[in-house]
Amino acid sequence: MTDTLHIIGGGMAGSEAAWQAANAGVEVVIHEMRPKVETFAHQTGLLGEMVCSNSFRSDDDEQNAVGLLHWEMRAADGLIMACADKNRLPAGGALAVDRDPFAQTVTDTLLAHPNITVEYGEISELPKDGKWIIATGPLTSGALAEAIAAETGAEALAFFDAIAPIVYFDSIDMSKAWMQSRYDKGETEEERTAYLNCPMDKQQYDDFIDALLEADKTEFREGETAGYFDGCLPIEVMAERGRETLRHGPMKPVGLTNPHQPDVKAHAVVQLRRDNKLGTLYNIVGFQTKMKYGAQTDVFKQIPGLENARFARLGGIHRNSFINSPTLLDDQMRLRSRDNIRFAGQITGVEGYVESAAMGLLAGRMAAAEIKGDSLPTPPDSTAMGALITHITGGADAKTFQPMNVNFGLFPPVEGLKSGRRGRKDRYKAYTDRAKADWQAWLDQG
């Protein structure tokens, strides 16, 4: 028992943790409740299933903190990045994947590893013996969530996460829509035409905002509150914050030229991103929603080009649970009250697929080192991995702790560089150059 690492949850974090530990020579058992116990958001029993967007966001490792995190994971022989690269779809400067083949690749790779076993069934209590990683993500089962709350003496914090709808490509009117990445970003023609764009004039935009505000919304149960994470606000919540909010967010019209009317500047643009390799499905970018299903079809069909749209999936809303990591975890991601248990992934208060997988990578390596009688130090906070783990295990204010994406604001400043917007390009390059050197040095000592 003590020589085996047990991981609860086979999502991004659990899969990556298992891969890292197994490659270090440790026997690993993944405990996954699906498909025996289903969730309303998952569609399969595959490991590494993506339930929301199919994008890992920016892949720019010189000017973007997420892209830097991609680089660090690849340098550490990360499973999630390798499977994403194998199932990559055109997405401009972003890394998007064909979600079902991606999850199948993750599953097949883990099942083929001689040191990894998968056991299907729900774990409902905190284990007292052995080495464990809890990587159950935002959809932790009710019984396990209650056990965590009972152990920590505090309720798990929660916010609501909304899922964007997916449209069948052949139902989109391409006499109104066109293919173009913003600012023609991308090295190939396929990348430069990775997004599908639907333009709106001012009247269409105003009518759309009115429809959003008036649409029937999902009601919360008694005692629930809508504490949304700002990175995935439902569009109707954004609209409630001001009629122009969406034009400065997911519907901004900049960097795009409509070939059907090249001399007419769109007032707003709705973008869709390819969701599978065949190009038959497109995800409406940034259109997470809590509107009721009937209202969604009525409102979204007001978008020019989507008047006859058929939906493969409508938007939805679910509760995301996460622990107050700055209070509960040490710098090795162990639960202070039970140091045989580590937490990893989104349940720790990081937000996003990549960030979740990154925390799984660290938890897996740290657990493996401990099982082998070694000690693995926390990576320096000058790296993307180090900045994230430092934030969740003590850098954040526990009283106001909220889910966080990786960003350069979490990094210690580089001395002697110009501050402000004009110096940003040089500053970000300095951040990434320093991070890459420090991350490689950390890998070398492990």
Side-chain angles (χ1 to χ4, degrees):
M1 188 75 167
T2 56
D3 294 332
T4 301
L5 175 62
H6 294 264
I7 299 173
I8 307 176
M12 297 292 172
S15 296
E16 188 65 62
W19 177 254
Q20 295 291 329
N23 283 344
V26 171
E27 296 290 328
V28 178
V29 178
I30 301 173
H31 300 267
E32 172 53 56
M33 68 179 186
R34 296 176 296 114
K36 289 187 175 181
V37 180
E38 297 180 344
T39 77
F40 61 88
H42 289 88
Q43 303 295 317
T44 74
L46 295 173
L47 304 175
E49 180 181 340
M50 306 173 83
V51 299
C52 189
S53 167
N54 70 321
S55 174
F56 288 93
R57 309 185 340 264
S58 174
D59 204 33
D60 182 351
D61 60 46
E62 294 190 346
Q63 292 291 312
N64 190 284
V66 178
L68 173 62
L69 198 53
H70 291 181
W71 186 95
E72 291 182 8
M73 293 175 71
R74 289 182 177 114
D77 187 28
L79 170 71
I80 296 302
M81 281 297 104
C83 294
D85 290 336
K86 189 174 292 186
N87 294 281
R88 186 170 191 151
L89 296 175
L95 173 59
V97 305
D98 197 346
R99 67 176 73 218
D100 289 341
F102 165 80
Q104 190 66 60
T105 303
V106 172
T107 303
D108 292 345
T109 305
L110 290 173
L111 290 176
H113 199 294
N115 291 344
I116 296 175
T117 304
V118 180
E119 294 184 2
Y120 294 97
E122 181 181 3
I123 303 291
S124 58
E125 297 181 352
L126 290 183
K128 294 180 180 179
D129 303 310
K131 298 296 183 182
W132 292 75
I133 295 175
I134 297 178
T136 47
L139 300 180
T140 299
S141 71
L144 184 57
E146 288 178 9
I148 293 169
E151 170 65 26
T152 60
E155 293 184 2
L157 303 176
F159 62 95
F160 288 86
D161 199 2
I163 298 173
I166 293 176
V167 179
Y168 287 102
F169 174 75
D170 63 7
S171 69
I172 299 171
D173 185 352
M174 293 305 293
S175 71
K176 297 179 180 179
W178 77 96
M179 308 299 297
Q180 182 189 5
S181 296
R182 203 179 299 280
Y183 297 110
D184 297 310
K185 184 175 285 189
E187 295 182 1
T188 67
E189 182 64 18
E190 194 175 35
E191 294 282 350
R192 290 190 288 272
T193 57
Y195 290 82
L196 191 151
N197 303 280
C198 299
M200 286 185 182
D201 59 27
K202 187 176 188 308
Q203 185 62 56
Q204 290 167 330
Y205 177 79
D206 287 338
D207 290 345
F208 180 75
I209 296 299
D210 288 339
L212 271 182
L213 295 174
E214 295 168 6
D216 288 337
K217 317 294 195 306
T218 301
E219 299 296 328
F220 296 108
R221 296 190 181 98
E222 185 177 353
E224 291 183 336
T225 57
Y228 296 106
F229 172 62
D230 276 351
C232 48
L233 284 174
I235 54 169
E236 58 274 11
V237 173
M238 284 191 271
E240 289 167 0
R241 293 184 172 186
R243 296 185 66 87
E244 295 294 294
T245 302
L246 285 167
R247 287 190 63 238
H248 295 279
M251 295 177 67
K252 57 181 177 285
V254 299
L256 298 165
T257 301
N258 182 355
H260 305 304
Q261 294 179 299
D263 298 327
V264 178
K265 180 69 174 177
H267 187 71
V269 174
V270 175
Q271 285 199 309
L272 294 86
R273 179 181 55 238
R274 198 162 90 184
D275 202 71
N276 66 343
K277 195 167 188 176
L278 293 174
T280 56
L281 301 175
Y282 273 74
N283 189 308
I284 308 182
V285 177
F287 267 47
Q288 301 91 346
T289 180
K290 65 185 181 77
M291 286 186 287
K292 292 183 177 179
Y293 284 172
Q296 287 185 46
T297 56
D298 291 342
V299 172
F300 293 147
K301 285 186 177 184
Q302 292 188 25
I303 298 170
L306 302 188
E307 293 91 345
N308 298 307
R310 290 181 293 110
F311 295 90
R313 182 188 73 190
L314 288 167
I317 187 166
H318 60 270
R319 186 182 180 95
N320 267 357
S321 298
F322 61 98
I323 62 173
N324 195 311
S325 293
T327 300
L328 301 176
L329 302 184
D330 66 15
D331 64 0
Q332 288 278 306
M333 305 175 77
R334 295 174 297 209
L335 191 60
R336 295 181 189 276
S337 61
R338 290 201 195 185
D339 63 6
N340 68 311
I341 298 174
R342 280 179 168 82
F343 281 79
Q346 199 162 334
I347 195 171
T348 66
V350 295
E351 175 63 22
Y353 293 137
V354 182
E355 289 88 340
S356 297
M359 294 303 95
L361 187 151
L362 289 181
R365 283 179 169 245
M366 288 174 170
E370 188 174 61
I371 287 172
K372 294 164 69 176
D374 298 325
S375 177
L376 190 63
T378 301
D381 60 3
S382 55
T383 66
M385 296 263 193
L388 271 176
I389 192 174
T390 298
H391 176 76
I392 64 172
T393 61
D397 184 344
K399 293 180 180 179
T400 58
F401 185 59
Q402 284 290 315
M404 178 66 74
N405 289 124
V406 67
N407 63 84
F408 287 126
L410 301 178
F411 290 57
V414 177
E415 297 297 327
L417 291 177
K418 186 187 297 184
S419 61
R421 189 174 185 85
R422 290 186 176 180
R424 186 171 57 182
K425 187 172 183 178
D426 290 340
R427 190 165 65 252
Y428 288 175
K429 183 63 163 58
Y431 280 139
T432 56
D433 285 348
R434 179 184 63 179
K436 290 174 183 178
D438 291 352
W439 178 247
Q440 193 58 59
W442 184 83
L443 288 176
D444 291 343
Q445 72 179 2

